[in-house]
Amino acid sequence: MHKLGKVLVAALAVAVFSGTAYGYSTVSSLDGITREDVIESPDPGERPADGSLDILLVGRDSRTDDNGNPLSPEMLRELRVGANGDDLTDTLIVLRIPNGQKAVKAFSIPRDSWVAEPGTKDKTKINGIFGHAKFASASAQREAGKTDKAEIDKVAITAARKATLKAVEDLTGVKIDHFAEVNLQSFYDISKAVGGVEVCLNRATKDRKSGADFPAGKQTIQGADALAFVRQREDLPRSDLDRVRRQQVFLAGLAKQVLSAGTLANPARVSELIDAVKRSVVLDGSWDLFDFVRQMQGVSGGGIAFDTIPVVNPDYRYNPKQPTATAVQVDPAQVRAFAASLIGAQPTTPQAPPAGPKVDVVNASGKDGLAARVSDVLAEKGFGKGEMTAEAGRRTSVVRFSDASGPATEIAKLLGGLETQKADSVAAGHVQVVLGQVYKGPGVSAGGGAAGVRTDQPITSDDTGCIN
């Protein structure tokens, strides 16, 4: 949803106006864009230490404008959303621009990714960190005696942006150099400013929650329809993972549209696009757009590839007391390795923990090779390899222990939130994992271990194809 705005930044990131005299005059008109001190200013001329210029694009599920003013009832109806929205980050994309190269790599972080919350020992969905930090900051300010609501909100939102950025850095191992944020209305405005984006669907789909109602095949969408397209989760086979794919396809199409001769040669359309950006996009205070355009000269729409971080389990049951509550399980080590591979660097990831107890794996699922794959996954986490056996079909999975529940609990979490059970039949110093027919955790398919679950090919502006 906020993708569009991101695209706007993507347009900048792609040097939409690529250094022409007209382009520089256009960029100069962005002087009035909203700025926020989210990132410490680097030394002038400093090259990114990790070998890549990294930009975090954030899309907020906010029913306010960039100044914090509530959207009008008329605009809320046009956007097909209610007045009460959570302060969530529904879109998180990192743009990686390797030093001295023209290829731009972008990767999405699913909004329900289960991650460590900065500054705490807790874990949560990454899209909720913004709201948690905002609430904590506002509460602390009130306790300190502050009463000016506008000032409290301003400080709290800055804290929320910083917390979100820190969570992304902790998960990916990427040092973020620049920050851009858009909200619901900015996506709406920008998509209309470029005259819409062409997308293609494999089948017709409809979802009352987002307002999505699309036929199969190619179609050009903008405004409220574009917003519904990138917000839809219901009636999609893979729910949030398909929504991420939708956002990537739309962004790729947007980049192509912005870079097309029809857009750049139309002063009225360019002016409308710039006005939409100034109304609704927030950038970090240290971002020198002129310098950025100079760096990005020569990058084309087809030079951007959109991908998604590896996923361990897209249906992770993280709370045994709420068995229907799900998140997207990710492994920071896998994610860091993936992010580093985009610029050819070695991942900066911690060493594996000391060897834990031996784990015996029983394959009761009927799926060939599952025990070996799960054993490999656990070995990567420092657990010793035990026996691998098979037994008659069993529906559910369980982690059994005899003498110490701690390692069993950790293993159960690593494998997607399995049940644990004390069993005297398990040898001392061992943990037994029994894999049932409905097991969906790490190792469920070939390549689902260190590489995570990655079933999609990267999307580029040159070839988006039809999607769900």
Side-chain angles (χ1 to χ4, degrees), residues 23-215:
Y24 276 106
S25 66
T26 303
V27 172
S28 67
S29 68
L30 285 172
D31 286 346
I33 199 169
T34 302
R35 297 281 190 163
E36 180 73 52
D37 291 329
V38 180
I39 299 174
E40 295 182 5
S41 299
D43 295 332
E46 180 182 1
R47 293 173 69 83
D50 62 3
S52 179
L53 181 67
D54 297 296
I55 302 165
L56 176 60
L57 307 176
V58 177
R60 282 177 56 201
D61 187 8
S62 172
R63 272 65 166 172
T64 60
D65 60 23
D66 60 298
N67 294 315
N69 301 313
L71 298 179
S72 68
E74 294 76 17
M75 178 53 69
L76 291 174
R77 284 194 295 271
E78 177 66 17
L79 297 177
R80 304 170 191 168
V81 297
N84 298 318
D86 294 329
D87 240 326
L88 304 172
T89 50
D90 271 2
T91 301
L92 292 169
I93 294 180
V94 176
L95 287 175
R96 302 219 76 182
I97 308 167
N99 287 339
Q101 299 184 32
K102 300 304 181 184
V104 179
K105 306 293 182 67
F107 64 85
S108 299
I109 301 171
R111 55 167 269 164
D112 288 343
S113 296
W114 192 246
V115 301
E117 184 148 15
T120 76
K121 296 181 179 180
D122 300 329
K123 299 198 75 174
T124 187
K125 294 179 182 180
I126 198 167
N127 71 330
I129 288 175
F130 188 100
H132 297 172
K134 180 182 174 183
F135 177 81
S137 174
S139 298
Q141 291 179 73
R142 294 189 185 98
E143 290 177 4
K146 291 187 177 181
T147 58
D148 187 320
K149 184 179 183 304
E151 182 60 26
I152 289 173
D153 286 346
K154 179 177 176 59
V155 172
I157 288 176
T158 298
R161 287 167 174 154
K162 289 182 176 181
T164 298
L165 185 149
K166 182 66 165 59
V168 170
E169 290 186 332
D170 290 347
L171 173 64
T172 65
V174 171
K175 176 65 175 70
I176 299 299
D177 301 297
H178 291 301
F179 173 94
E181 179 191 295
V182 296
N183 60 18
L184 292 174
Q185 185 172 357
S186 55
F187 183 92
Y188 173 93
D189 289 343
I190 294 170
S191 65
K192 294 189 72 173
V194 299
V197 171
E198 183 180 83
V199 297
C200 181
L201 293 178
N202 290 320
R203 63 179 179 87
T205 180
K206 190 172 184 178
D207 168 35
R208 187 169 61 182
K209 288 185 178 179
S210 64
D213 187 0
F214 301 109

Side-chain angles (χ1 to χ4, degrees), residues 80-415:
R80 304 170 191 168
V81 297
N84 298 318
D86 294 329
D87 240 326
L88 304 172
T89 50
D90 271 2
T91 301
L92 292 169
I93 294 180
V94 176
L95 287 175
R96 302 219 76 182
I97 308 167
N99 287 339
Q101 299 184 32
K102 300 304 181 184
V104 179
K105 306 293 182 67
F107 64 85
S108 299
I109 301 171
R111 55 167 269 164
D112 288 343
S113 296
W114 192 246
V115 301
E117 184 148 15
T120 76
K121 296 181 179 180
D122 300 329
K123 299 198 75 174
T124 187
K125 294 179 182 180
I126 198 167
N127 71 330
I129 288 175
F130 188 100
H132 297 172
K134 180 182 174 183
F135 177 81
S137 174
S139 298
Q141 291 179 73
R142 294 189 185 98
E143 290 177 4
K146 291 187 177 181
T147 58
D148 187 320
K149 184 179 183 304
E151 182 60 26
I152 289 173
D153 286 346
K154 179 177 176 59
V155 172
I157 288 176
T158 298
R161 287 167 174 154
K162 289 182 176 181
T164 298
L165 185 149
K166 182 66 165 59
V168 170
E169 290 186 332
D170 290 347
L171 173 64
T172 65
V174 171
K175 176 65 175 70
I176 299 299
D177 301 297
H178 291 301
F179 173 94
E181 179 191 295
V182 296
N183 60 18
L184 292 174
Q185 185 172 357
S186 55
F187 183 92
Y188 173 93
D189 289 343
I190 294 170
S191 65
K192 294 189 72 173
V194 299
V197 171
E198 183 180 83
V199 297
C200 181
L201 293 178
N202 290 320
R203 63 179 179 87
T205 180
K206 190 172 184 178
D207 168 35
R208 187 169 61 182
K209 288 185 178 179
S210 64
D213 187 0
F214 301 109
K218 291 184 178 181
Q219 52 210 286
T220 298
I221 55 176
Q222 62 178 285
D225 284 338
L227 189 59
F229 180 84
V230 295
R231 292 184 68 215
Q232 182 179 359
R233 247 195 325 182
E234 303 297 326
D235 195 35
L236 296 181
R238 300 182 307 161
S239 188
D240 196 45
L241 293 183
D242 276 333
R243 176 160 74 169
V244 166
R245 196 69 168 170
R246 287 272 193 98
Q247 294 169 348
Q248 292 172 343
V249 163
F250 192 88
L251 275 178
L254 179 59
K256 183 176 183 178
Q257 179 69 8
V258 170
L259 291 164
S260 71
T263 298
L264 293 179
N266 186 331
R269 194 169 292 285
V270 170
S271 177
E272 187 178 351
L273 175 60
I274 294 300
D275 287 343
V277 173
K278 291 171 67 174
R279 283 196 304 269
S280 54
V281 175
V282 178
L283 303 180
D284 69 85
S286 65
W287 200 342
D288 184 332
L289 296 182
F290 280 107
D291 184 59
F292 186 62
V293 168
R294 282 194 295 270
Q295 292 176 8
M296 296 307 298
Q297 286 183 18
V299 175
S300 66
I304 309 176
F306 296 88
D307 209 335
T308 304
I309 62 171
V311 169
V312 173
N313 182 2
D315 191 35
Y316 177 47
R317 309 290 166 147
Y318 60 89
N319 188 347
K321 296 180 180 179
Q322 294 180 296
T324 61
T326 64
V328 175
Q329 186 183 20
V330 294
D331 182 341
Q334 295 176 6
V335 175
R336 293 186 187 111
F338 164 78
S341 72
L342 299 181
I343 58 170
Q346 294 299 313
T348 56
T349 182
Q351 295 297 311
K358 285 191 174 181
V359 182
D360 302 320
V361 183
V362 180
N363 187 355
S365 70
K367 299 173 183 175
D368 293 340
L370 180 60
R373 292 194 297 271
V374 170
S375 183
D376 287 343
V377 169
L378 294 174
E380 291 171 0
K381 296 298 181 181
F383 294 101
K385 285 192 175 185
E387 295 183 353
M388 287 179 282
T389 58
E391 68 176 36
R394 170 191 170 101
R395 178 173 172 76
T396 58
S397 303
V398 64
V399 179
R400 296 172 177 156
F401 63 95
S402 61
D403 49 356
S405 62
T409 299
E410 182 180 355
I411 290 169
K413 288 182 178 179
L414 287 171
L415 297 182

